[in-house]
């Protein structure tokens, strides 16, 4: 039966398609790596897996797109009833926007806002966990095309950060990356360290003490990830700004450590040869992000990539960070999946 | 023979396709309207028409996309051998990106840099010419779907300005518009009037006196279009800045007249109800335009449209104004034609 | 006597200066105008007045600088013990930075965040109150130079908005204006209406229901001021965005009414001839304002003024909106007072 | 004697002041260092020196402000009859804006647009020349306060670049720096290498071949300074972009070398401990610079300095790069000289 005839059938019989339709599974993975942490991580991780229609019936191997969820979010909600992910993937496959593929959404929840994806003795070695535990686990349990050329990675907001970080540092593992509204690409208009209320951060004893604070919990995750200090309870980290007797003093060395290890613009410069190995790099962002620093930084970041000689795509669209991706004919459907379809090896 | 079988044939036999392939014709149109002018316009206008493969054989009526060329450019070059327009249209039709359509590229050449598309007693009533002469001429001479729902309009740079101007002011004529890197959408970072060398403009006797001047010839076209003055040779226009005895004085009333009548952000506010009637509005622009004012203005313009409650798409891409549209898998192929295919009535 | 000796004398007698030093008085003004309102305004207004050293002893008449306090602030705190206003004015006079002057800080407190300075049937006619009640009251009770040429006006943040609004609309009353980090000058990067949580605003019954909401209370003041509707309890105003059954719909007419009547860029265009009558216009702002829209709008606003042919000064400085004005050698001392000293008539 | 009478005396004696008024001298300096170059530098340098009123009569030692002229300019024109420098300095001293001081304007002319101030085996070791030859020469020939605390440095446009470069790298020589509209602080919106016409640059045989080219001559100076290559005639430098058979290829290593060694944002990071030693850093720039990259880069640069923990001032003013400094009550008079007066040791 030729592809063409099959397509006709697919279009003709939505009911039949549903019958052998896509499946979303949940797997449990016991992480050895994440046991090392100071923030009470649960080492049992919940992996969500989207299997395309027909997976159970055939013996084909499929490319995999890893989807990294953002902070203040989680992979279960992503596939909750009524959400757009599964229907969008189904429709993309049905209408030929994308050939069949597997999606894996690992678990980056923490006791705080969620992982910032880098390795940290305090906040967990999530980068090692992903590369050394999640990917082998997926390749062992599913009929994947277990090679970089067939592995894509994406995510939204801080998840887009993670996706780009991992692709830039592991081109032997991933070959195509699409960042949906990445953050953490660089400084904004004002210095990064200016945003949170450091006095409140320093006096907090538990994450709950930061409730209602807009930037505090994110900056806590940031310093736990990039300034870990196992000797310094309660958060086991150092600070970018010290507050003593009400006087703020910027710790420039710490600021620079965070910026050097966190910002994608710096990671791109450090991993320049790695970036050249990737088959595709794209990211986009919404112009109306209420935190304008994200917009500003992404504009700077794409120019930085050009100055590094890195071919890529970078689009700024009209919209908020969260309102143009998952709707009908949203950017996941019109941009993200076609990008992977074009560049991944099937 | 069904469409499906035809598509198979198309893919199978590129040679056969060429045999009954697309055609680019040149028609001459004698304009009565353009005879009124002070800048030596040639009233005989050269219209270029792209007819899709099969046009000669069938009896179908087709939607039409009007393509407006920019200043310092012309419609003949657009279809010159080796250029991308015809092959791009052919390929889009062949691969199903777009159903068959006609493209009409009217003639906006002048003795200067070209038309700025508005009506002017000095520089020609090009808007009337387009609406009252070109479109009836096309509908009379070709098997068009002669209704707004089947007429799209586009163009690049100043041509994109013209396309948006005409769509905004004539929703009874056009229903879908895509501006490729429009200019003239609003002021830039600095005041508009600051750019040209007004002393040189005022002392020039012929356009040739402005040779080598970057902004001068464009601003000459601008004031001839928006500040026409039949009593004031040699250019038959007034100026935004007067220079007397070496002293510059800004003529604020003239500045405001130009901005009010020229800038798309003002036209959109004036024609707000018209904009609501359009089926689709999209524009995009390259972040690396050396004249940053264009980038800045487009960002302001899209927000202005949102404040007017006008649904639209507006993307800023990585690139120069001219290097991402016509290449393989460039934006004409991936964005412009699919937009018209989705929204025009076939 | 050399300059050096004279300077020594000047610096040597702070005690003597203090003996006949400056005075800050509080006066009560019963407002008839503010009795018309729907938000529970107290018609008894508290006016703070700074009188320069020597005022009680001499018979001189002095110029007056009106200082408008911002939202979430009040004129009592401005002169509270330990604050910088009085010492800064004293020092400026002592060191010859400014000749002696009176400062009047009217009372713009409301039951909400404070006045937005325009006339409103709901939120009080504060503009009329200022022009028709406060100024005659001050001129009647103090030895002022009771003419426009000797009246300056300033304020910070929303108070700077008020100062510029009043100067632009009443050049017969004020002649010099300095806006310290004005807001409300124009739209930001995103559409103005996007910021607040309209669903929460619509469902609130009292201002207290908006507690903890960042933009809500300010937008409530904005719509009470610019979209008053005496028929619509509980807030007696209309909304820029309507939310019905969870669906948001932008009311474009209301958005445009607010923008037209509120934004200084529009008021400047409306009052263009008035602006020409002013002896001096200056404003400045800190680049690190966490609400980047303020920075963006001020940049647009100064260019707008240039396009209107309005001479002015507009500086963007390194800093937050609130950390560079009142410190030692801060901008009040180095910029604001010298500006008034140079341009006011003494 | 009252202040008023003293002031009258000060203003009453311009003639007397002129009698023992300021002097501008020209000295010749034979440079050994600049003999090493490939671009035909004249090793005889012309040093302009402003000596304050009274210099000839007294025996005082004075602080020195070094003034670095920009590209396409020279130190002779700076003091030409009718220009503002000498009268501005005179007036500042007369009115007490600044205590008496010496100004030295070294000679940075080349056969091209002028020096970019760094050491280069091709374009001359101008940094060594300034530090090792000019300053000892000045201290040997004039009654200077020959110490860092009494040496300031300034300049405009590329001269401001030079001033900041030298101050950042030689805090043992200079203690206060004021950059007037510096360029070369960082990348703009687009990648730096995108601006010039590299094909024209590569095919040029002499600087004259670049006549009429806007960016070409500056980029030639840039690559001769930062990519010197004594083996590669005719310009003895390498290129940021290679053009072979019409195909452009960016040489990323060369781009990064230029950016690393040229941009002040990188020099500031490299010399961070040095910057801390300076007594004062200020720069400002005009928002209406037609090359918006300069505005954008200066905004980025001041934030970079904050992230390095470097105290400084950075103001963006309304104006062009060249129209607000030297006029009456321009920024040289109101900002630059008071800054040096406050921070230099007299």
């Amino acid at each position: 039966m030729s592809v063409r005839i099959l397509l006709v059938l697919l279009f003709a019989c939505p009911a039949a398609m549903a019958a052998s339709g896509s499946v979303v599974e949940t797997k449990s993975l016991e992480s050895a790596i994440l046991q090392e942490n100071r923030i009470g991580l649960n080492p049992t991780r919940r992996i969500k897996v989207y299997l395309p229609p027909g997976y159970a019936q055939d013996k084909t191997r499929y490319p995999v797109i890893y989807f990294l969820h953002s902070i203040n979010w989680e992979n279960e909600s992503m596939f909750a009833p009524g959400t757009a992910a599964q229907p969008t993937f189904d429709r993309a496959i049905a209408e030929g926007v994308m050939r069949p593929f597997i999606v894996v959404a690992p678990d980056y929840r923490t006791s705080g806002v969620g992982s910032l994806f880098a390795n940290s003795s305090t906040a967990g070695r999530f980068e090692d966990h992903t590369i050394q535990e999640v990917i082998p686990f997926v390749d062992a349990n599913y009929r994947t095309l277990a090679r970089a050329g067939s592995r894509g990675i994406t995510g939204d907001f801080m998840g887009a950060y993670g996706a780009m970080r991992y692709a830039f540092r592991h081109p032997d593992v991933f070959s195509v990356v699409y960042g949906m509204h990445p953050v953490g690409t660089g400084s904004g208009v004002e210095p990064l360290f200016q945003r949170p209320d450091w006095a409140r951060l320093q006096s907090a004893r538990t994450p709950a003490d930061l409730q209602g604070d807009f930037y505090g919990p994110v900056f806590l995750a940031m310093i736990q990830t990039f300034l870990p200090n196992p000797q310094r309870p309660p958060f086991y980290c150092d600070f970018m700004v010290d507050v003593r007797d009400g006087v703020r003093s910027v710790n420039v060395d710490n600021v620079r450590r965070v910026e050097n290890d966190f910002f994608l613009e710096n990671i791109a410069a450090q991993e320049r040869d790695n970036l050249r190995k990737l088959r595709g790099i794209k990211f986009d962002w919404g112009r109306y992000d209420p935190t304008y620093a994200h917009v500003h930084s992404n504009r700077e970041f794409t120019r930085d990539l050009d100055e590094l000689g890195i071919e890529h795509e970078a689009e700024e669209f009209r919209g908020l960070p969260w309102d143009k991706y998952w709707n009908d004919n949203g950017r996941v459907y019109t941009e993200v999946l076609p990008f992977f379809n074009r560049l991944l090896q099937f």
Side-chain angles (χ1 to χ4, degrees), chain A residues 169-229:
Chain A
R169 290 168 51 89
H170 304 282
D172 50 324
V173 177
F174 306 102
S175 63
V176 185
V177 61
Y178 193 118
M180 296 192 262
H181 201 92
V183 298
T185 51
S187 280
V189 172
E190 41 174 338
L192 176 72
F193 60 77
Q194 185 180 284
R195 277 178 233 157
D197 179 345
W198 291 102
R200 187 172 175 186
L201 259 171
Q202 295 244 2
S203 63
R205 296 297 96 194
T206 75
D209 295 339
L210 300 171
Q211 206 162 15
D213 191 304
F214 189 75
Y215 287 115
V218 180
F219 275 75
L220 177 57
M222 198 185 296
I223 55 180
Q224 287 180 322
T225 304
F226 297 104
L227 298 175
N229 180 347

Side-chain angles (χ1 to χ4, degrees), chain A residues 63-79:
Chain A
V64 182
I65 299 176
Y66 286 83
F67 188 101
L68 278 50
H69 69 77
S70 188
I71 50 174
N72 297 314
W73 195 237
E74 33 112 36
N75 59 0
E76 188 69 40
S77 307
M78 182 181 160
F79 287 103

Side-chain angles (χ1 to χ4, degrees), chain A residues 53 156 201 212 237 289 344:
Chain A
D156 55 357
L201 259 171
C237 64
D289 188 331
L344 282 181

Side-chain angles (χ1 to χ4, degrees), chain A residues 52-344:
Chain A
Y55 179 87
Q57 288 74 39
D58 63 31
K59 297 185 173 176
T60 317
R61 291 189 168 272
Y62 296 95
V64 182
I65 299 176
Y66 286 83
F67 188 101
L68 278 50
H69 69 77
S70 188
I71 50 174
N72 297 314
W73 195 237
E74 33 112 36
N75 59 0
E76 188 69 40
S77 307
M78 182 181 160
F79 287 103
T83 56
Q86 187 174 4
T88 300
F89 301 154
D90 287 350
R91 186 178 152 223
I93 293 170
E95 299 194 7
V97 164
M98 176 119 183
R99 288 160 284 177
F101 59 104
I102 293 169
V103 177
V104 173
D107 181 354
Y108 296 100
R109 289 172 299 163
T110 67
S111 49
V113 295
S115 173
L116 298 203
F117 300 99
N119 288 330
S120 158
S121 57
T122 290
R125 291 192 287 117
F126 273 96
E127 185 161 339
D128 288 348
H129 163 66
T130 304
I131 303 301
Q132 296 169 23
E133 294 181 331
V134 175
I135 287 173
F137 176 85
V138 168
D139 286 335
N141 283 277
Y142 295 97
R143 291 199 316 279
T144 62
L145 291 163
R147 61 186 183 219
S150 300
R151 276 195 213 99
I153 186 164
T154 186
D156 55 357
F157 216 72
M158 193 63 82
Y161 169 82
M164 298 181 86
R165 177 184 185 90
Y166 290 172
F168 291 0
R169 290 168 51 89
H170 304 282
D172 50 324
V173 177
F174 306 102
S175 63
V176 185
V177 61
Y178 193 118
M180 296 192 262
H181 201 92
V183 298
T185 51
S187 280
V189 172
E190 41 174 338
L192 176 72
F193 60 77
Q194 185 180 284
R195 277 178 233 157
D197 179 345
W198 291 102
R200 187 172 175 186
L201 259 171
Q202 295 244 2
S203 63
R205 296 297 96 194
T206 75
D209 295 339
L210 300 171
Q211 206 162 15
D213 191 304
F214 189 75
Y215 287 115
V218 180
F219 275 75
L220 177 57
M222 198 185 296
I223 55 180
Q224 287 180 322
T225 304
F226 297 104
L227 298 175
N229 180 347
Q231 316 306 325
R232 190 170 177 178
F235 296 134
Y236 301 97
C237 64
D238 292 321
F239 293 80
M240 297 163 79
V241 173
D242 294 313
V243 184
R244 283 197 189 106
D245 305 327
V247 179
R248 237 176 67 124
S249 81
V250 178
N251 185 320
V252 177
D253 288 319
N254 284 355
V255 168
R256 293 190 63 77
R257 268 178 68 200
V258 172
E259 298 196 349
N260 190 62
D261 295 345
F262 177 40
F263 286 166
L264 287 175
E265 67 182 9
N266 294 326
I267 294 172
Q270 294 153 18
E271 307 288 346
R272 178 178 145 204
D273 291 336
N274 275 343
L275 269 74
R276 293 241 173 90
K277 295 178 191 159
L278 294 171
R279 298 167 60 91
I281 302 171
K282 179 167 179 176
F283 57 105
D284 55 15
W285 63 92
R287 187 176 303 113
Y288 294 160
D289 188 331
T291 298
Y292 179 71
H294 299 152
V295 174
H296 182 84
S297 300
N298 281 330
R299 290 178 185 161
E300 295 293 290
F301 180 44
T302 170
R303 188 214 54 216
D304 287 340
L305 290 178
D306 272 316
E307 292 183 321
L308 291 167
I310 304 299
E311 189 58 33
H312 68 287
E313 294 182 42
E315 282 185 348
E316 180 176 308
F317 58 86
R318 166 192 174 240
L320 292 161
W322 50 79
D323 68 347
K324 292 285 190 291
Y325 285 109
W326 290 104
N327 28 3
D328 278 356
N329 296 313
R331 297 183 73 87
V332 170
Y333 191 80
T334 63
E335 306 288 335
V336 181
L337 297 179
F339 187 75
F340 284 117
N341 186 52
R342 178 153 59 89
L343 292 166
L344 282 181

